[in-house]
Every structure is written in C-alpha cells, then in structure tokens.
Amino acid sequence: KAGVTQTPRYLIKTRGQQVTLSCSPISGHRSVSWYQQTPGQGLQFLFEYFSETQRNKGNFPGRFSGRQFSNSRSEMNVSTLELGDSALYLCASSLVHYNEQFFGPGTRLTVL
Amino acid sequence: GQQVMQIPQYQHVQEGEDFTTYCNSSTTLSNIQWYKQRPGGHPVFLIQLVKSGEVKKQKRLTFQFGEAKKNSSLHITATQTTDVGTYFCAGNERGNTGKLIFGQGTTLQVKP
C-alpha cells in the first residue's frame, strides 16, 4: 500500500506570495491532518479534515486554509506569506481520526 | 487551550544506558500517542495508549499512561545507536478527538 505523498517536496517563495500544498492520503484513509513543524515551535496542529469537512482547527491566522476533496486528497493554502511561515508542513492521514496517524515526507517551505 | 509539555528537551546518553521522556497534558486525554522522528525524516507512529494506568511494551520500549490520563512516559532500556531521534507524545483531548496536540519532543543522542 502506498504511503502518504506530499507535493511539492521543496518550495521557495517570497513574502506576500501565496502557496498551495498538496497531500494524497493512504488509500482508504478519510481523515487528513496538517501540521507545521519549526525548530522553535515543534509540531503544531493546523487543521483536520474528514469527508471533505474541516472538523478541527488549530490556532493559526486565517491566512492558513485548507480543503479536502471527495477522493480524500487534501490541499492547504497559505496566502500573503510571511518570513515566519518558513517551516516543514506535514500531512498525516488516518483510518479514523483518533487512530494512529501516518505522516507524509513533508513540504519544506522557505519564504524569502 | 490544551497544552502538552514534554521533558527533557534533549538527552545525551552512553550506549547501553536507559532513557526516559515524560509528557504532561493540561487537560484530561482520551488517548495518547507516541511518535519517533529520525533526523531528516517524518514522525513515525510507535504506540497508542487509551486506558487509565495502561502499560505497554515494545521490546526495549515501555510506555505508560497515568491514572488520571494526563501524563505519560516512554522508557528505553539499554539504548542503542538506532534509538537516536526525537520522541514526541501527542494527546487527543477528551471529547475533542481528531485534534492531536504534540509535545515539544525529546531529542535523544546516543554515544557509541
């Protein structure tokens, strides 16, 4: 069974731009969560989607948004990028929301 | 909001020594999960604890969930160089499953 895939793996943007990251969960997994990982803040929960509905949201500004499609693939978008948005963005999928999460390799975003 | 604190932040041990990391939540948890992230990698699920006072073992790793379901620990007996990495606990707040809050992680270095 293929694992969680994330595209792109690396991204360089400049302040003020916007970015869209993509995540394909493990086949059959309907819950997709997004996390931001930085050296200073660790792993921070962004949001969780299940059956195309956002069920949980972390404490991030409205510039961070996401969506889930009917095939469970998910995208997250960050608008008006700031230098502090530079981070590793991890997507994780699970069969049901309270079970073990399978992480993708992440997208390394650098904002210049 | 829910906070999960993890100590210590770093631990350097000689190969063969034991290692323990502790996790404390500000709220009662429905379950707690442990993950390991190798340098340059993504978090990989180790185990989930659900019951109050639960103890689970995986070879040299012992996981405990506190009686009040607010704290947990991971103990590694006789560390090996393959144990190097960052160990994260992550809690699902009771009544709010799906929003996994991660501790800051404990980075383990093992000297051969």
Side-chain angles (χ1 to χ4, degrees), chain B residues 47-74:
Chain B
I47 209 159
Q48 176 172 277
L49 304 171
V50 179
K51 299 176 185 175
S52 170
E54 190 170 13
V55 178
K56 284 189 178 181
K57 291 190 176 185
Q58 286 180 351
K59 297 183 180 178
R60 296 179 294 104
L61 278 60
T62 302
F63 303 85
Q64 293 189 351
F65 200 11
E67 293 290 339
K69 300 185 76 172
K70 293 180 75 172
N71 61 288
S72 181
S73 65
L74 157 59

Side-chain angles (χ1 to χ4, degrees), chain A residues 25-109:
Chain A
I26 290 172
S27 177
H29 286 193
R30 294 168 64 189
S31 174
V32 174
S33 298
W34 288 89
Y35 299 86
Q36 181 195 65
Q37 186 172 32
T38 58
Q41 298 296 319
L43 267 159
Q44 291 194 286
F45 176 84
L46 280 157
F47 22 67
E48 186 245 346
Y49 286 89
F50 185 84
S51 293
E52 301 178 66
T53 301
Q54 185 185 90
R55 294 192 308 181
N56 287 285
K57 192 177 190 306
N59 299 324
F60 279 82
R63 300 184 298 106
F64 291 81
S65 62
R67 59 178 176 168
Q68 187 181 32
F69 302 95
S70 57
N71 61 358
S72 293
R73 191 178 69 86
S74 178
E75 288 181 348
M76 69 163 280
N77 183 276
V78 188
S79 62
T80 320
L81 284 166
E82 300 177 0
L83 294 179
D85 296 334
S86 293
L88 180 66
Y89 289 89
L90 291 159
C91 162
S93 75
S94 59
L95 200 55
V96 291
H97 53 275
Y98 48 83
N99 272 12
E100 63 179 288
Q101 303 214 344
F102 293 84
F103 282 82
T107 294
R108 173 76 61 186
L109 172 65

Side-chain angles (χ1 to χ4, degrees), chain B residues 57-107:
Chain B
K57 291 190 176 185
Q58 286 180 351
K59 297 183 180 178
R60 296 179 294 104
L61 278 60
T62 302
F63 303 85
Q64 293 189 351
F65 200 11
E67 293 290 339
K69 300 185 76 172
K70 293 180 75 172
N71 61 288
S72 181
S73 65
L74 157 59
H75 179 83
I76 301 178
T77 304
T79 54
Q80 299 174 359
T81 54
T82 53
D83 296 325
V84 164
T86 301
Y87 293 84
F88 292 96
C89 63
N92 267 312
E93 191 175 31
R94 193 172 63 182
N96 191 14
T97 55
K99 185 175 180 179
L100 202 59
I101 304 300
F102 278 76
Q104 290 290 86
T106 297
T107 299

Side-chain angles (χ1 to χ4, degrees), chain B residues 23-58:
Chain B
C23 185
N24 284 286
S25 170
S26 59
T27 59
T28 304
L29 300 171
S30 60
N31 64 62
I32 195 158
Q33 300 173 10
W34 285 90
Y35 292 81
K36 176 183 178 181
Q37 185 174 23
R38 288 200 163 97
H42 55 271
V44 175
F45 176 83
L46 293 176
I47 209 159
Q48 176 172 277
L49 304 171
V50 179
K51 299 176 185 175
S52 170
E54 190 170 13
V55 178
K56 284 189 178 181
K57 291 190 176 185
Q58 286 180 351

